[in-house]
Amino acid sequence: MSQDSNVVVDKGKSSFSDLWTKEDYWAIWLGFLIIATAFFLYFNFTPTQEFKDQIAQQNAVMETEAAKAPFKTIAWYKAKDAKGKLKAADGGVGKFIKHWTASPGSWSSNPVEAFILSKERADAKNEAAKPKYEEAKAKTESAFALAQAAETAAAAASFQNVDLNDDAKAKIEAWHALKKKESDVKKKVSNKPYNRIPTLVGLCVALALFFSIGMKFMGKEPLGFMQGFVVVFGVATLAYMMGGQAVAKQYGVGAEAWGVIIGMLIANTVGTPNFVKKACEVEYFIKTGLVLLGAEVLFNKIVAIGIPGIFVAWVVTPIVLICTFIFGQRVLKMPSKTLNIVISADMSVCGTSAAIATAAACRAKKEELTLSIGLSLVFTAIMMIAMPAFIKAVGIPEVLGGAWMGGTIDATGAVAAAGAFLGEKALYVAATIKMIQNVLIGVTAFGVAVYWCTKVECEAGKSVGWMEIWHRFPKFVLGFLSASILFSMIDGSLGGDMGYTMIDNGVVRGFTREFREWFFALSFAAIGLATNFRELAHYFKGGKPLVLYVCGQSFNLALTLGMAYIMFYLVFPEITAQI
């Protein structure tokens, strides 16, 4: 295999025909086809005016209650909860999409339940969880009675008695917290029978046809792709099944890791058949998914957490990336500059997404990209479990712990899971900082493209034209940024409440995210199937890639923790107090 056929992108040249013959552009077209379809369906077949009326009604109640009492009353919380239940994805469009994109379900001891859950088994699960639900329900009712009595007492004093107000506030908050717990427990008594085999078969066929359109125009063999795609989809489905197992879920070993593991087991035992290799389009799948990820990274979320989060995400990240790259070249003497920069970006920015963008910008070999992603998956799984445990053990505050994890753990999903282990504040801060950091995917790719064209591959006596930067720039990143800007503008024009109902809990959670998660699962399955340990062995000479990742991540952990503490607790403590 020649070097050019083994790099993440082709030679640096561009033409008008690239718009329909290149992978990056097809990722954009397919991603925006899904986005356009989502907007059309949700804004034409959901009761938008009804949502507006209900939101206005609940907001009026909240305003009245806020003016009446110096604390959030029971009626205020009920109105807020009623508004939070307004989700476009709960309507007909959302139910249809979720039905046909559903992944295998959760299971404990019988893997068949991931695909088929009988009515008898669903009823048995509901009955088993019923005692805990009844207990939670009783606690909520008892707390509600106390909250109601406390609020009545405060109202009798015209809300002028500070002690009565404080007592009412505390008891109402306690009731609302128990109500949320009851809602979580209620989900465990709401199991319904299902058979996901027909929908999985239908989804496999639909996605095979969906991606084969681009394969045809890119000059590849659509029929061969579709034949191999069945196996790739099968591995992704098995990965979802294994990720849904109770113990695997408990330890955070999700479908991403299982996709790589199962794929590698096949590739390094019986071997990946040649017809399957035709469908191992790692970059094609994940680039399309990354365009859809742009819909989830709204710029207004940057404002929500303010300047502290920007410092943690946008100042620390480039420092770590540059220092790690220099360390790899000057101290470790890494033989491959492309492997060095891909690992540095993978570890410092946001894992797989940044690795793909950076590998495309510097034209890294596919094996180098695979190695980088493999290291990221291993350390993400470790850090997702170890960091929350360490933070709790040493007593680090939730906000600081969330900021620390958001800036260091690679995958967005793993960040959210780790934040949830600590609490709501940690989850909010961690996820927000990670999404702020995700914006750097495009910036990182552009910076690497500039550096590679002007420094690394610039021969003596020759100059590299600025157009070469455009040739090397991963075009799919433009789709990611465009989707982010588009969704930010639409979300802003709708307003916070309607944006929550129609965009976040409609177009995104009820459409684009469903497909994005499957595209990521397909890419990880393809990575595993395309990975042969013998081909990767020479990259571990002296263990340098592993040493680079460990040293870089250690520096990242120290610098991020220091910056988070300075920004959130020394420079902007008032912002932290409001989180």
Side-chain angles (χ1 to χ4, degrees), residues 129-141 182 185:
K130 197 171 183 179
K132 286 188 177 180
Y133 170 64
E134 294 294 344
E135 181 183 354
K137 186 178 179 181
K139 288 182 178 179
T140 302
E141 291 174 350
E182 178 195 339
V185 176

Side-chain angles (χ1 to χ4, degrees), residues 72-104:
K72 295 173 182 176
T73 64
I74 293 174
W76 188 94
Y77 275 113
K78 285 185 175 181
K80 182 177 181 294
D81 292 343
K83 191 169 63 172
K85 291 178 181 178
L86 297 175
K87 300 176 181 179
D90 291 338
V93 173
K95 289 180 179 178
F96 177 83
I97 294 300
K98 287 184 177 181
H99 174 73
W100 284 100
T101 59
S103 58

